[in-house]
Amino acid sequence: MIKTEKIYYDDRRFPDRLRHIFNPPECLYFRGDISILDTPSVASVGSRNASEYGRRVALEIGKTSALFGVTLISGMAKGIDGYSHTGALDFGGKTIAVLGTGCDICYPKENAALYSAISERGLIISEYPDGTGPAKYTFPMRNRIISALSKAVIVCEAEISSGSMITAELAIEQGKEVFAVPGNIFSPLSLGTNKLISDGARPVFTVPEIFRELGFERIKEEIIIDGKERYIYETVRAHGELSLKDLSRMCRLSETIVKNAVSHLEMKGFLSYYMGKVLIAK
């Protein structure tokens, strides 16, 4: 069982990026590989009530961070945070979750599998001791850590008044680059990101472009899908959008097998669901 450890401000392992911010944490509690704190990193943040578009972008950011050898930082919340972490892990990348609770508490509970994966293959950190539950003040406070640890902050989707906008403001105060994903002008989830662009944030046109502009180079190719997943992916690619039932019939596989494979391919960014249909995501 992974136990919570801690490092103090004067510990050599305490990240320099946190030493010089306003109100730095006195210590960091952590679970996982603390050495990841020394790696190049970017943050991906956004709405908990993410749209299909936002989820696809977040998965792509996580995936691309892995392909460029950059650590993905987020807050393990529902929506954009969770999909960003998942994209990084699915492509063998490193990821850090900065919690607004103690490291022993998985919040939200539905992210239990993600929490376990990050604990084992990445890093979970918090400035709060074990047993500290979620509170309104803890999440805005942890945002300064997310931005401070990152070379840049990418905002996928955000309402005007949201934690993601707070993170972007903190990043600007800390002298960090802020990127924002343009969105539908009729969607409240895009009001925040569109305003950030209007105020001077750099608009995202393609995800790899973000990493290249930050000076990173791609270090590995994408994971190759094969077996049933490849067969299912190629079937959707050949026929366009399909219902799960039609896809199952065409592949001559049970709906359960197809559904599980599609879910896995969705996490990898190859397929997506929209209005009950299975679609190509890339």
Side-chain angles (χ1 to χ4, degrees):
M1 181 178 178
I2 299 176
K3 294 183 179 180
T4 301
E5 302 178 66
K6 64 180 175 180
I7 51 173
Y8 288 97
Y9 182 89
D10 57 358
D11 190 301
R12 61 178 178 79
R13 296 173 297 169
F14 194 93
D16 283 337
R17 286 172 280 186
L18 285 184
R19 293 183 193 276
H20 308 296
I21 65 170
F22 175 74
N23 189 24
E26 295 181 1
C27 70
L28 286 178
Y29 299 85
F30 70 93
R31 291 189 175 195
D33 184 2
I34 193 66
S35 69
I36 297 176
L37 282 175
D38 291 328
T39 58
S41 55
V42 299
S44 175
V45 298
S47 174
R48 287 172 167 80
N49 300 311
S51 68
E52 172 66 16
Y53 171 65
R55 292 194 294 269
R56 289 175 62 182
V57 172
L59 282 168
E60 184 72 13
I61 290 170
K63 179 188 79 173
T64 307
S65 72
L67 298 178
F68 277 74
V70 177
T71 297
L72 190 287
I73 299 178
S74 199
M76 211 188 78
K78 287 173 55 180
I80 296 300
D81 288 18
Y83 279 91
S84 299
H85 289 302
T86 298
L89 290 171
D90 278 352
F91 280 79
K94 299 181 185 298
T95 190
I96 298 173
V98 184
L99 304 188
T101 65
C103 288
D104 61 329
I105 294 177
C106 175
Y107 182 84
K109 291 183 179 179
E110 54 260 46
N111 277 352
L114 179 61
Y115 170 86
S116 178
I118 297 174
S119 298
E120 295 173 1
R121 296 158 52 195
L123 177 66
I124 288 177
I125 63 173
S126 175
E127 64 181 311
Y128 305 110
D130 281 4
T132 304
K136 286 186 177 181
Y137 73 91
T138 59
F139 294 100
M141 287 291 288
R142 65 90 185 268
N143 291 343
R144 78 194 194 287
I145 297 177
I146 291 175
S147 57
L149 290 175
S150 308
K151 185 170 184 177
V153 171
I154 309 165
V155 185
C156 294
E157 286 186 318
E159 296 174 295
I160 287 292
S161 299
S162 64
S164 300
M165 295 295 282
I166 293 174
T167 306
E169 291 168 7
L170 289 166
I172 293 169
E173 290 175 6
Q174 294 166 356
K176 305 298 179 72
E177 293 272 15
V178 174
F179 292 82
V181 177
N184 183 343
I185 63 171
F186 299 106
S187 170
L189 296 177
S190 298
L191 293 178
T193 51
N194 290 343
K195 183 178 188 303
L196 285 173
I197 293 170
S198 176
D199 291 344
R202 299 172 73 171
V204 174
F205 296 111
T206 70
V207 174
E209 178 185 350
I210 300 171
F211 292 84
R212 294 191 185 98
E213 288 188 12
L214 291 171
F216 299 120
E217 295 183 2
R218 186 169 175 147
I219 64 169
K220 60 183 177 180
E221 295 304 312
E222 297 183 17
I223 293 174
I224 297 174
I225 54 173
D226 52 22
K228 289 187 178 68
E229 287 186 3
R230 169 59 63 181
Y231 182 41
I232 290 168
Y233 172 73
E234 293 296 347
T235 301
V236 178
R237 186 177 184 183
H239 293 86
E241 61 183 60
L242 294 168
S243 69
L244 198 62
K245 185 175 182 179
D246 287 341
L247 181 57
S248 176
R249 177 177 53 80
M250 289 181 178
C251 293
R252 297 182 181 180
L253 296 168
S254 72
E255 286 193 30
T256 299
I257 290 175
V258 171
K259 184 176 181 180
N260 289 339
V262 168
S263 294
H264 201 203
L265 288 165
E266 184 182 20
M267 287 184 178
K268 290 180 177 180
F270 287 93
L271 297 180
S272 65
Y273 280 118
Y274 181 72
M275 299 294 287
K277 300 285 188 178
V278 182
L279 308 170
I280 294 291
K282 59 171 289 183

